[in-house]
Amino acid sequence: PRPRYSHTPRPQTSLILVKMAAISSAASVFTGKALVQAKTAPKAKASVAVTASADARKTASLLAAGVIALQATPAMALNSIELQDERQTNKNGLQLIYEARDLNITQSVRQDGNSRFSFQKLTTAQTAARASESIKRLNNDVGDYVGKAYWTQAANELRRQVGTLRFDMNNLVSDKGGDKVAAKAFYASIEKLDFSIRQKDQAAATAALAAVQDQGNALIKQLA
């Protein structure tokens, strides 16, 4: 029988195979790195392109605005500028609408001129006329509501008049040197009347109303 030979690789052949495997693995590593660099490179180029495009649009916008301004300059130069003195008009109350919208200003009365609409300081004649009208409504309207026990209407009407009456009386007393003690007593009587109306006490409201009417008529006769 023929002798059998077992195939045993030579040492040189094994060394060659190991070197080839190492070379192939190194090539794959390098290839991987090259692929990563190839992916990141286009992103950087794209960002540069976007930035350049934004700068170009901004430059174009500025250029267009400059051209429009240069074209409008001759037309603007032909128009004369007219200045008007509105100090007296503003002093008479033109700016009150803007003051009423200013939330930094309180409703309290200030001594440096006009304040809000319902509390603006009128002339002495206007103040006396408004106070006289309020006293008239206290005598007629509030008196009728209290007599009929219309408590809601009586309370509303009383507070509508007191909203300006106290302010007007104080101004008239200050301008004409009126009796401050009598004015304070009048306000105290109004508060008693308001309380009696809220309590729906017919007898107390009738008595308080009589005091309010007497004191109010005396004050307005002295100050009007």
Side-chain angles (χ1 to χ4, degrees):
R2 294 180 181 181
R4 296 181 180 179
Y5 298 98
S6 60
H7 180 71
T8 303
R10 298 179 181 179
Q12 294 180 355
T13 304
S14 300
L15 180 62
I16 292 172
L17 293 175
V18 170
K19 289 183 178 180
M20 291 180 64
I23 293 172
S24 62
S25 62
S28 64
V29 172
F30 291 140
T31 304
K33 290 182 179 179
L35 290 175
V36 171
Q37 292 177 357
K39 290 181 180 179
T40 56
K43 292 184 179 179
K45 292 181 180 179
S47 62
V48 172
V50 171
T51 304
S53 178
D55 292 339
R57 287 196 299 269
K58 184 177 181 180
T59 303
S61 300
L62 292 175
L63 181 62
V67 171
I68 294 173
L70 291 175
Q71 291 178 352
T73 301
M76 294 174 63
L78 296 177
N79 296 330
S80 61
I81 299 175
E82 182 180 358
L83 300 179
Q84 296 181 355
D85 187 359
E86 299 291 347
R87 288 176 292 180
Q88 187 61 38
T89 305
N90 292 333
K91 186 177 179 181
N92 293 332
L94 178 65
Q95 301 297 328
L96 288 178
I97 179 63
Y98 302 106
E99 183 178 336
R101 294 171 179 172
D102 190 354
L103 299 179
N104 294 324
I105 301 178
T106 63
Q107 290 283 356
S108 60
V109 180
R110 302 190 305 279
Q111 301 299 324
D112 56 348
N114 293 329
S115 58
R116 292 189 184 276
F117 283 113
S118 58
F119 299 114
Q120 61 179 303
K121 190 170 183 179
L122 306 176
T123 63
T124 302
Q126 292 172 336
T127 302
R130 187 166 66 177
S132 299
E133 179 63 24
S134 296
I135 294 296
K136 179 181 178 181
R137 295 189 183 187
L138 289 178
N139 293 334
N140 297 332
D141 297 342
V142 178
D144 291 342
Y145 293 142
V146 171
K148 297 177 181 179
Y150 291 172
W151 304 118
T152 302
Q153 292 84 344
N156 291 339
E157 184 62 30
L158 178 63
R159 296 186 182 188
R160 275 194 293 267
Q161 303 312 315
V162 174
T164 56
L165 183 58
R166 187 190 297 265
F167 181 77
D168 292 339
M169 285 294 187
N170 287 337
N171 283 335
L172 291 174
V173 168
S174 177
D175 293 342
K176 296 190 175 183
D179 191 351
K180 295 183 179 180
V181 177
K184 290 183 179 180
F186 175 58
Y187 305 148
S189 299
I190 290 178
E191 291 176 359
K192 290 181 180 179
L193 175 59
D194 181 68
F195 180 76
S196 301
I197 291 174
R198 285 188 285 114
Q199 294 297 316
K200 300 180 181 181
D201 189 338
Q202 184 76 46
T206 302
L209 176 62
V212 168
Q213 291 173 342
D214 292 341
Q215 293 172 348
N217 291 331
L219 275 175
I220 201 62
K221 184 178 180 180
Q222 174 188 359
L223 300 173

